[in-house]
Amino acid sequence: MADTAMSGSGTAAGDNEPSPGYGGEHPIQTAVWRLRSRGCWSDAAALLEPHASAQPRIALQRASLLVERCLFTEAGWSEAEDALRTAEAVARSDDERGAAACERGHLAYASTVLGVRDRADEARAALGRAAALLPPAAPGRPLLDFRRGLIAEHLADSTQAARAAYRRAHAGATTHGDVLLLSFTWRHLAGLALRDGELAEARHGFAESLRIREELGYLVGTAPALVALAEAEPEPESSRLRAEAGRLFRLLGGVPTWLAGQLDAEPAA
């Protein structure tokens, strides 16, 4: 399957997310990021659980982690739904409600694109609700723009709308310093360039995406980035990148699960 499952699960900067690479992180946030980056979403969510019922941003972060676990493992949907309902219940401001709606839209998108259950209408409605709640300059707006791009590309098959949304997300992520989100916007813009036969532009975008993930230590997102770059490289470099991705995939226990077919490898036990 195409690399759509993980796409859009990456946010790093902002009060409701661990921000790797920046100074002054709270020790719990540093621990959450390290666990998340290695695919230990349940452990990361457990660190946040004691604070989730009273702190809307922590509740949202916990839900986001569990949604990301769904995207990588194609499992854990009920727990993600429960965490998201908690985040929606404790949200107080428009920004918090908008961010929760954005996460609900992403969970519905994930369920649809992974073939679990068609929730495309719910995804569109939730992201529309988020757009009404989040002003253009809100820190959560770039992530919303990116996720609307995913809907346009993978559910509506509208390349033009997807490209415009990814570009807005890219500019916003640059403004807000959301470096991990930039790795996603780079890769998806590169994917559209590859579709159009723009190999040099595609290689540049894929390489930037990979560089960011390696620099941040986002280990669980590195194998998909390697595979994406391999699609734009000639042999023997393409095979080398795929082999490296395969080793990392097996090291992490076969996640993301949907990458197995692209690597022609079986997930490790």
Side-chain angles (χ1 to χ4, degrees):
M1 109 173 245
D3 185 12
T4 60
M6 183 180 61
S7 314
S9 62
T11 51
D15 292 333
N16 66 326
E17 292 288 347
S19 47
Y22 302 103
E25 296 100 330
H26 189 282
I28 290 179
Q29 289 294 337
T30 300
V32 166
W33 167 252
R34 287 175 177 166
L35 289 165
R36 175 193 177 189
S37 68
R38 288 159 178 77
C40 301
W41 299 280
S42 297
D43 292 339
L47 289 179
L48 299 174
E49 188 170 10
H51 311 285
S53 62
Q55 299 183 40
R57 291 179 177 180
I58 295 298
L60 180 66
Q61 184 185 1
R62 182 172 179 272
S64 178
L65 287 166
L66 294 173
V67 171
E68 186 169 88
R69 182 181 67 175
C70 294
L71 289 161
F72 276 84
T73 67
E74 303 180 62
W77 301 93
S78 295
E79 191 174 356
E81 288 280 2
D82 288 344
L84 186 51
R85 280 193 289 269
T86 297
E88 290 168 335
V90 301
R92 293 187 289 264
S93 68
D94 280 353
D95 277 4
E96 290 163 355
R97 285 188 285 270
C102 183
E103 206 60 49
R104 167 137 328 261
H106 193 50
L107 182 62
Y109 162 81
S111 175
T112 304
V113 81
L114 290 173
V116 176
R117 182 160 63 91
D118 186 349
R119 297 170 60 182
D121 289 344
E122 181 187 350
R124 292 186 182 95
L127 295 187
R129 190 162 63 250
L133 289 164
L134 294 172
R141 193 75 189 207
L143 180 61
L144 172 60
D145 286 333
F146 177 72
R147 289 174 172 175
R148 294 178 94 177
L150 293 175
I151 295 285
E153 182 178 4
H154 300 294
L155 300 187
D157 196 26
S158 176
T159 301
Q160 184 176 357
R163 183 180 286 108
Y166 293 151
R167 285 175 174 166
R168 289 195 303 271
H170 191 85
T174 301
T175 298
H176 290 286
D178 192 338
V179 181
L180 186 55
L181 180 55
L182 280 173
S183 82
F184 285 94
T185 56
W186 271 121
R187 192 172 78 251
H188 280 266
L189 286 167
L192 295 180
L194 186 63
R195 258 189 185 185
D196 293 340
E198 301 291 341
L199 280 179
E201 183 179 343
R203 286 190 194 110
H204 176 70
F206 289 141
E208 283 297 298
S209 176
L210 176 61
R211 177 188 62 78
I212 290 170
R213 291 176 185 209
E214 290 178 336
E215 289 180 357
L216 293 179
Y218 188 50
L219 195 63
V220 77
T222 299
L226 287 163
V227 171
L229 181 57
E231 292 178 1
E233 292 285 2
E235 294 293 357
E237 180 65 6
S238 178
S239 291
R240 185 193 70 77
L241 291 166
R242 288 182 180 277
E244 185 179 346
R247 286 192 293 272
L248 187 54
F249 174 79
R250 291 186 290 274
L251 175 67
L252 292 172
V255 291
T257 54
W258 42 262
L259 196 62
Q262 295 184 51
L263 292 169
D264 196 26
E266 293 296 325

